[in-house]
Amino acid sequence: MSTPYPFTALVGQEDLRLALLLNAVSPAVGGVLVRGEKGTAKSTAVRALSALMPEVDVVSGCRFSCDPASPDPGCPDGPHGTGASGSRPARMVELPVGASEDRLVGALDIERALAEGVKAFEPGLLADAHRGILYVDEVNLLHDHLVDLLLDAAAMGASYVEREGVSVRHASKFLLVGTMNPEEGELRPQLLDRFGLTVEVAASREPDQRVEVVRRRLAYDDDPAGFAGRWADEESAVRARIVAARDLLPEVRLGDGALRQIAATCAAFEVDGMRADIVMARTATALAAWAGRTDVLAEDVRQAALLALPHRRRRAPFDAPGLDEDKLDETLEEFGGQDGDEGDQDEGGDDDPDPDPDGGPGGGPDGRPEPDDAPRVDGESAAQPESGEDREGGEPQPSGGGGGEQTPARAAEPFRTKVLSVPGLGEGAAGRRSRARTEHGRTIGASRPRGALTKLHLAATVQAAAPHQRARGRSGPGLVVRRDDLRQASREGREGNLVLFVVDASGSMAARQRMSAVKGAVLSLLLDAYQRRDKVGMVTFRGSAADVALPPTSSVDAAAVRLESLPTGGRTPLAAGLLKAHEVLRVERLRDPARRALVVVVTDGRATGGPEPVALASRAARLFGADGVASVVVDCESGPVRLGLAGQLAGELGGTAVTLDELRADSIAGLVKDVRSSGQNSGQSSRRAA
């Protein structure tokens, strides 16, 4: 077993260390979500915490870690009497992103359950993590069905395994710790709210601190055991402090004044539900116990708010989590001093919740001080001329500062879009956009299992076993089932797709009000992609070339940021944009062949610049139709004279054209159900365009 990096040897990251230690003192706080860029010691800190957790008493031989003082009456290994017991270190169990459902909740032997009537159960990771730490690295990439199981276990404190009417239940209470890089996608709101605290981490920009990080890491890599030995005294001190804080925790008093501050703070930041109030109260209590006090002070409430509220405050789509500290201070001051025993806390209290800098969260383990780290557009005038566009010939002309780059327009308010889905039946990653064969969903058939049986089709299994009962010597009421009789249920659900946006940023799109509406439409589609668990990418074209503004990623937030700063101006190299998008799809198919693509071209359909721009754009568009790529053209053309070029482009792509108004879910136009990739609607699209 490898020697973990010492917790007290971590440099900086005070908020991260504090949040982890508070959960060690009071697991009822609800766990920690650590958000930050790669290489910021997120995983190192979590793994180091496990060495500081106090040992747990367990019933000897129980696979579910029952407490001898209060064993679980429904434990599959029970009932437990007054037998032998012992103690062991608290476990830290890691949940891989690609884990199966059986690996998480456990596996039930269906064959023995049907044939012999016994519950042969193999515990999963939720059983191993009971009374310990469940760590999920890259938690934002966890599959939806695993997220649902985690939510159920976290809410009920137990895990249920159901297989065709046969069920097993066992206790599962754990400290949930997740780490994630926001650039790779955000977390589902339901799971985000289950984390008691959240911490943002980033690499220090202080040279001296970075030098110390490198020095310690190199020393650890050269001799892990020797390095850990040099920090053994500090580790023992923090471990003893955690035990002392746990013992003191029941004596900590949460006065009415502190409770009023907590309630007022949660109301001021408009958090949903009451979980934030409860988490703040538990966190403030744990802070007081960690500091060796029996009273909760105002600074405890403030620190609790900074850890418990950023991911819970109500915010607009794509806004980063955060908290306005000036508003927080004003709220605490307004509602402070209303409890007789706490009236003068602000004057007499200690500003630092951790007065002991050695090994604690208030400072570095070596004593070194740490550095502190549009209006909505509903339509546009038909008579309004477009900036950078000639009404007669469609060639962009100099406008204002010329045909070059224009100041980026702000996006209009996002709206709910109609569902755009890829036709056919895919087999990609679980999501909520297009139909696919998945492990979860409605049952559509049965087949022989290729490996381990995961989803039994009971009727098909009985039907396969029934003709052989006499030959197998059946004499009683039971059904004689063999391995060859078992049938796997085939299920249909939804998959996530790669939504690749190809955005026209040329001068013909540069009218301020028009580009604002276009950006609002793309932002709305991005929000829809986030909700449907898609990957997104963005190609923009303007001037004389096309650029990959955002390579395919799960971070819809990153796409929204790139969209907001998107400049406009210049000619319209439509062919270059389509060819660049085609190349992006080719590379992505090599990386993730099961994920199907949906190309969304946002343009007015004009093509200018270079020799034969229209013919070249037409040939580039036909590449998508030849590859069977689903596509939709969002027609941004406006004004009294419409050329219908976007409809013609949709026909060349073998897809569908929709206007900005038709994209809205509440418009009176027909519902867009599928984006046709077969080209069967291309003739209709061309006729409509003409």
Side-chain angles (χ1 to χ4, degrees):
M1 183 177 180
S2 60
T3 303
Y5 191 90
F7 188 85
T8 50
L10 294 171
V11 179
Q13 308 294 17
E14 292 86 356
D15 287 343
L16 170 58
R17 291 189 291 163
L18 177 60
L20 292 172
L21 288 170
L22 292 178
N23 275 274
V25 171
S26 176
V29 167
V32 186
L33 174 65
V34 188
R35 297 165 45 96
E37 58 196 20
K38 52 186 177 294
T40 49
K42 301 187 297 293
S43 300
T44 300
V46 176
R47 294 186 175 99
L49 176 68
S50 61
L52 299 178
M53 297 289 287
E55 291 189 341
V56 294
D57 296 328
V58 296
V59 175
S60 297
C62 178
R63 298 175 296 167
F64 302 88
S65 302
C66 282
D67 187 349
S70 56
D72 179 13
C75 176
D77 286 353
H80 300 300
T82 57
S85 62
S87 61
R88 61 162 176 79
R91 292 175 181 153
M92 191 197 73
V93 177
E94 294 194 42
L95 172 60
V97 170
S100 66
E101 178 180 338
D102 285 346
R103 184 71 187 97
L104 178 62
V105 301
L108 189 64
D109 192 330
I110 299 297
E111 186 176 0
R112 292 189 62 191
L114 289 176
E116 303 174 27
V118 297
K119 296 181 181 180
F121 181 68
E122 183 66 29
L125 296 177
L126 290 179
D128 294 340
H130 181 44
R131 305 177 65 202
I133 302 173
L134 181 62
Y135 171 48
V136 189
D137 193 13
E138 306 293 352
V139 64
N140 52 323
L141 304 182
L142 201 63
H143 289 173
D144 278 357
H145 68 284
L146 297 182
V147 170
D148 294 336
L149 294 170
L150 276 181
L151 289 173
D152 291 342
M156 298 183 293
S159 174
Y160 291 85
V161 183
E162 301 283 347
R163 292 290 187 274
E164 301 296 341
V166 181
S167 63
V168 174
R169 173 213 168 272
H170 64 82
S172 182
K173 297 180 180 179
F174 47 83
L175 171 59
L176 181 61
V177 181
T179 56
M180 60 174 283
N181 184 350
E183 294 180 357
E184 297 174 347
E186 285 296 335
L187 197 62
R188 276 178 55 182
Q190 297 92 329
L191 183 56
L192 182 64
D193 189 53
R194 282 292 173 185
F195 286 97
L197 310 179
T198 185
V199 178
E200 296 279 343
V201 296
S204 173
R205 299 296 182 258
E206 176 62 39
D208 290 341
Q209 197 172 71
R210 296 175 74 97
V211 166
E212 187 62 22
V213 170
V214 175
R215 181 181 292 119
R216 293 186 186 182
R217 186 69 207 191
L218 292 177
Y220 170 77
D221 291 341
D222 290 340
D223 183 11
F227 183 83
R230 291 193 290 274
W231 291 89
D233 292 341
E234 288 83 353
E235 292 282 286
S236 298
V238 174
R239 191 179 297 109
R241 188 174 175 184
I242 292 174
V243 173
R246 281 191 173 189
D247 294 339
L248 183 63
L249 189 64
E251 302 177 19
V252 176
R253 188 179 73 92
L254 185 65
D256 290 343
L259 276 174
R260 286 182 61 84
Q261 286 183 318
I262 290 171
T265 301
C266 292
F269 286 97
E270 299 182 344
V271 298
D272 295 325
M274 295 297 297
R275 183 174 285 119
D277 304 64
I278 297 171
V279 171
M280 270 191 67
R282 289 172 174 166
T283 305
T285 304
L287 279 163
W290 176 251
R293 292 185 267 100
T294 56
D295 285 319
V296 175
L297 304 182
E299 58 262 28
D300 298 327
V301 176
R302 185 182 191 279
Q303 184 64 60
L306 292 175
L307 293 174
L309 295 188
H311 61 302
R312 289 190 170 91
R313 70 173 179 84
R314 188 170 298 174
R315 52 194 174 100
F318 309 120
D319 281 353
L323 215 60
D324 185 342
E325 295 194 30
D326 291 336
K327 181 178 179 180
L328 173 61
D329 291 335
E330 291 174 3
T331 303
L332 293 176
E333 183 178 355
E334 179 182 354
F335 290 89
Q338 300 188 30
D339 184 89
D341 296 329
E342 304 173 14
D344 56 357
Q345 288 176 0
D346 292 340
E347 297 181 6
D350 183 1
D351 290 337
D352 186 21
D354 175 28
D356 180 9
D358 295 328
D366 53 1
R368 181 185 291 109
E370 308 290 359
D372 294 331
D373 290 329
R376 182 185 179 102
V377 177
D378 291 325
E380 32 182 323
S381 172
Q384 180 177 346
E386 296 178 359
S387 174
E389 180 179 328
D390 185 2
R391 300 175 188 231
E392 299 292 333
E395 286 285 336
Q397 302 294 330
S399 173
E405 182 172 314
Q406 309 291 323
T407 304
R410 296 190 61 183
E413 290 290 332
F415 52 85
R416 188 168 65 89
T417 65
K418 292 177 179 176
V419 180
L420 304 177
S421 60
V422 179
L425 196 63
E427 296 182 348
R432 297 191 182 92
R433 181 171 298 278
S434 305
R435 295 171 54 229
R437 298 182 182 91
T438 60
E439 294 185 2
H440 299 268
R442 63 186 185 92
T443 302
I444 59 174
S447 61
R448 292 180 181 272
R450 297 178 181 177
L453 181 71
T454 56
K455 296 292 182 182
L456 178 74
H457 194 296
L458 184 58
T461 299
V462 172
Q463 186 176 9
H468 309 291
Q469 296 306 296
R470 180 175 298 178
R472 293 173 183 174
R474 172 186 169 187
S475 58
L479 189 67
V480 181
V481 179
R482 301 280 173 82
R483 178 70 184 175
D484 291 342
D485 300 329
L486 299 179
R487 294 294 183 268
Q488 176 83 20
S490 300
R491 302 198 174 188
E492 180 182 309
R494 293 281 170 176
E495 67 175 359
N497 298 115
L498 166 60
V499 182
L500 181 61
F501 293 92
V502 185
V503 182
D504 185 348
S506 64
S508 66
M509 302 280 288
R512 303 294 299 174
Q513 193 177 34
R514 179 181 180 187
M515 197 61 196
S516 178
V518 168
K519 285 188 175 183
V522 178
L523 194 66
S524 303
L525 290 168
L526 284 172
L527 180 59
D528 181 68
Y530 165 70
Q531 294 170 340
R532 300 185 187 280
R533 311 291 286 175
D534 294 317
K535 290 181 70 174
V536 297
M538 186 181 298
V539 172
T540 63
F541 57 94
R542 56 184 289 270
S544 59
D547 297 312
V548 181
L550 183 72
T553 175
S554 297
S555 177
V556 177
D557 283 353
V561 172
R562 304 289 173 87
L563 177 70
E564 190 67 29
S565 59
L566 178 66
T568 56
R571 293 183 178 273
T572 311
L574 177 58
L578 295 176
L579 290 173
K580 180 69 72 173
H582 190 267
E583 175 64 16
V584 170
L585 292 183
R586 186 189 67 80
V587 174
E588 191 63 20
R589 275 195 294 267
L590 297 176
R591 295 174 178 170
D592 191 358
R595 188 182 292 269
R596 298 187 294 166
L598 170 63
V599 176
V600 180
V601 185
V602 185
T603 182
D604 56 9
R606 301 191 181 195
T608 60
E612 300 183 346
V614 176
L616 187 59
S618 177
R619 289 197 296 271
R622 285 196 290 270
L623 293 175
F624 292 85
D627 290 345
V629 177
S631 60
V632 60
V633 177
V634 179
D635 184 358
C636 302
E637 190 176 28
S638 61
V641 179
R642 295 176 181 264
L643 303 178
L645 298 176
Q648 295 179 24
L649 176 62
E652 300 283 358
L653 289 166
T656 306
V658 295
T659 65
L660 289 174
D661 289 337
E662 292 171 343
L663 194 61
R664 293 178 178 270
D666 54 358
S667 73
I668 60 175
L671 179 65
V672 180
K673 290 185 178 179
D674 282 330
V675 181
R676 304 298 178 189
S677 64
S678 61
Q680 55 185 308
N681 288 349
S682 58
Q684 296 178 8
S685 300
S686 301
R687 286 195 295 273
R688 284 198 302 270

